[in-house]
Amino acid sequence: MAIITVMVFILIGIFELTPLIKKGDIKGFAINLALLLCSCTVLTLKSLQISVPSPLKPIENLIKAIIE
Amino acid sequence: MRKEIISDGQAISLMILFYLGTTITTGTSLGIGNNGWISIGLAMLEALPFLFICVRLLSAFPGKNLFDILELLLGKTLGKLVTLLYTIYALQLGSFILRIFSMFVHSVALPETPDFVTYIMMGALAAWILRAGLEVMARTAKFLLIVIIIVLMAANLPSIGLLNIEYIKPVLGDGWAPVIKASFSSFAIPFSQSIILMGVVFMLEKKENIGRSYLKGYLAAGLVILLLGLRNILMLGGNYGSLQYFPSYTAIRRIRVGRFIQRVEGAVDIILLTTALFKTSINLLATTKGICSLFNHQDYRVFALPVAILAMVLADISFGSTMQFAYFTDILYPFYALPFQVFIPVLLFLVYIIRKRTGRLPVIPVEEDES
């Protein structure tokens, strides 16, 4: 499953990022690459059954500390 | 990149679809039984001053969106920092909508279907709309709003005979306190979310109409939410309705007119699909515009797919279960939304007023339309 995930992201990367390089949009390429890498890392970890902590947990704890 | 200008009618349609979002199906101000409709009306009034703040700021800086205004009023460093916060906030809101849609599909229609299938369907569609741009989105919104109005009327007219006026009594049986407390949740979702719209809908054909368009969209959506809340109470009763995750769906399921009109709950699916899709798209559009503002990039469309994928991932990892999600949105979200939907807009408005009075408002260069 992890391999499939990485393959899908490589395909998305090829179709999304190549036109940006051709246009010379290096900034857009770098931002897109960073965003795709974030998503790919999380999904690969999930597909390897490694639990990924919720990004909302710290926010939840902070709000609870304030209101309780 | 060419400025995208939309007509008043298209802006109003976008706003109505944004406010209706998932609220049209999940309902709002639940948990206080038969007085929910009063708290919806109250929340509309409470959020009105914040709508005026948004409109005032947009009118003061014509052609500028929320992120430009943040930078103009707060300075480059602080402006970028707040832009980053709003970008993350808009992305999270988009992921919440994806999650609600997935929950709905999972619980009422396709229980065996994995969540990621619904995320991919919805997310890909949102990315496609984003890539098409705001003008296409607005034109589609105007057309689909008509479809939604027809479906809403067709689905709700047969329910008139099933309404029981006794369910609404006693009005304010426990006094105002629980109603005011519950209005806080309707205030947070969706009425004070106008700030997200500021990142998206800011260029109209007639600049002077921006206030009127915002108000019309807000009032129309508020009225629909209020009427549907009232219908849910009159059909299901306050207490039973409060126990449902999707009260509108439960209410519509009860509609049967002879053997001819029954099982019209498909109407709710159509409405939720459309409104949730537009709300997700608008949130993701605000996210991409925030990214453009952060990194001084001209074209938000190039970020459509990566941002949509990130929203899908967030929707998947943010909550372990439906109960956790319900707890967060019902109890914690109103507090989480406070800084974004109340404190920062008020602060921004105060900075604007002070700068205006002291004559230190930034001068905005008049931009030539390249089209």
Side-chain angles (χ1 to χ4, degrees):
Chain A
M1 193 65 187
I3 294 168
I4 297 172
T5 309
V6 174
M7 296 282 276
V8 168
F9 271 91
I10 288 171
L11 276 178
I12 293 172
I14 291 168
F15 285 111
E16 279 292 299
L17 302 180
T18 320
L20 291 176
I21 299 173
K22 280 183 187 164
K23 271 199 292 182
D25 184 0
I26 302 300
K27 206 187 275 179
F29 168 80
I31 299 164
N32 269 350
L33 184 67
L35 291 172
L36 285 173
L37 276 178
C38 279
S39 306
C40 182
T41 310
V42 174
L43 286 181
T44 311
L45 287 173
K46 275 209 79 166
S47 55
L48 291 169
Q49 311 289 329
I50 298 169
S51 103
V52 183
S54 162
L56 284 179
K57 207 71 195 162
I59 298 168
E60 206 176 308
N61 292 338
L62 180 72
I63 297 168
K64 276 183 187 167
I66 293 169
I67 63 171
E68 280 171 7
Chain B
M1 197 192 159
R2 184 176 71 88
K3 285 269 181 199
E4 291 175 305
I5 301 173
I6 56 178
S7 73
D8 295 357
Q10 291 168 348
I12 293 169
S13 308
L14 265 182
M15 285 169 201
I16 294 175
L17 292 179
F18 175 79
Y19 285 118
L20 292 182
T22 50
T23 314
I24 201 164
T25 308
T26 57
T28 184
S29 280
L30 302 172
I32 55 159
N34 55 343
N35 290 316
W37 65 281
I38 303 175
S39 67
I40 295 173
L42 205 59
M44 271 182 75
L45 291 177
E46 287 166 2
L48 213 49
F50 300 98
L51 183 81
F52 283 122
I53 286 180
C54 295
V55 169
R56 189 74 194 87
L57 288 171
L58 286 176
S59 309
F61 300 100
K64 301 286 171 197
N65 65 15
L66 169 70
F67 308 110
D68 300 329
I69 295 171
L70 280 171
E71 211 165 303
L72 283 169
L73 287 178
L74 301 179
K76 199 150 192 168
T77 315
L78 190 59
K80 292 267 187 212
L81 185 70
V82 183
T83 298
L84 176 68
L85 293 176
Y86 268 111
T87 306
I88 295 171
Y89 180 62
L91 180 67
Q92 277 183 340
L93 281 185
S95 73
F96 289 174
I97 308 298
L98 286 176
R99 179 77 185 204
I100 295 173
F101 182 73
S102 167
M103 270 166 54
F104 178 79
V105 170
H106 199 73
S107 56
V108 306
L110 306 166
E112 302 295 325
T113 306
D115 281 338
F116 75 84
V117 175
T118 38
Y119 294 148
I120 290 173
M121 295 295 169
M122 190 76 156
L125 215 50
W128 191 11
I129 292 181
L130 267 185
R131 191 152 285 184
L134 178 63
E135 285 174 346
V136 175
M137 191 195 283
R139 277 202 297 274
T140 319
K142 196 172 177 185
F143 168 72
L144 285 177
L145 185 67
I146 297 166
V147 176
I148 286 186
I149 292 169
I150 293 168
V151 173
L152 263 179
M153 287 176 69
N156 282 296
L157 283 178
S159 73
I160 291 172
L162 301 168
L163 304 180
N164 184 353
I165 197 75
E166 291 301 315
Y167 283 149
I168 211 169
K169 297 174 187 169
V171 177
L172 293 171
D174 297 321
W176 278 99
V179 175
I180 292 170
K181 200 178 164 192
S183 71
F184 191 38
S185 111
S186 307
F187 170 80
I189 311 173
F191 293 120
S192 64
Q193 289 179 334
S194 320
I195 192 82
I196 297 291
L197 280 172
M198 261 182 91
V200 178
V201 182
F202 56 94
M203 283 286 275
L204 300 187
E205 277 171 357
K206 292 174 187 165
K207 284 174 190 168
E208 63 275 13
N209 285 356
I210 199 152
R212 212 180 303 161
S213 302
Y214 264 74
L215 193 63
K216 275 183 189 170
Y218 179 83
L219 291 178
L223 191 67
V224 173
I225 293 170
L226 181 65
L227 287 176
L228 290 181
L230 197 59
R231 180 211 61 191
N232 292 343
I233 292 167
L234 292 174
M235 275 186 86
L236 302 172
N239 293 329
Y240 182 64
S242 299
L243 295 171
Q244 305 294 316
Y245 278 126
F246 304 108
S248 288
Y249 186 80
T250 315
I252 292 280
R253 276 181 77 170
R254 294 191 169 187
I255 294 172
R256 274 195 183 84
V257 182
R259 288 186 180 179
F260 180 60
I261 300 175
Q262 48 185 315
R263 296 195 64 82
V264 288
E265 58 265 30
V268 178
D269 302 353
I270 296 170
I271 293 167
L272 178 70
L273 176 67
T274 316
T275 54
L277 176 65
F278 273 88
K279 190 157 186 172
T280 310
S281 307
I282 289 173
N283 281 312
L284 297 186
L285 182 55
T287 310
T288 50
K289 291 218 169 190
I291 292 173
C292 285
S293 174
L294 276 173
F295 297 100
N296 297 324
H297 197 277
Q298 296 301 311
D299 190 2
Y300 66 86
R301 294 171 209 212
V302 296
F303 306 120
L305 190 62
V307 163
I309 293 173
L310 202 57
M312 292 181 226
V313 173
L314 270 181
D316 194 40
I317 64 167
S318 291
F319 304 99
S321 66
T322 304
M323 290 297 287
Q324 263 183 19
F325 179 77
Y327 174 72
F328 185 85
T329 47
D330 291 347
I331 313 290
L332 302 178
Y333 179 78
F335 295 98
Y336 172 50
L338 265 181
F340 299 102
Q341 293 172 196
V342 175
F343 297 150
I344 297 176
V346 170
L347 188 78
L348 209 58
F349 189 61
L350 286 177
V351 171
Y352 165 69
I353 296 287
I354 292 167
R355 281 192 162 213
K356 195 180 175 193
R357 290 206 175 150
T358 53
R360 288 193 296 135
L361 266 186
V363 182
I364 308 162
V366 180
E367 288 177 25
E368 293 277 330
D369 192 357
E370 292 163 25
S371 59

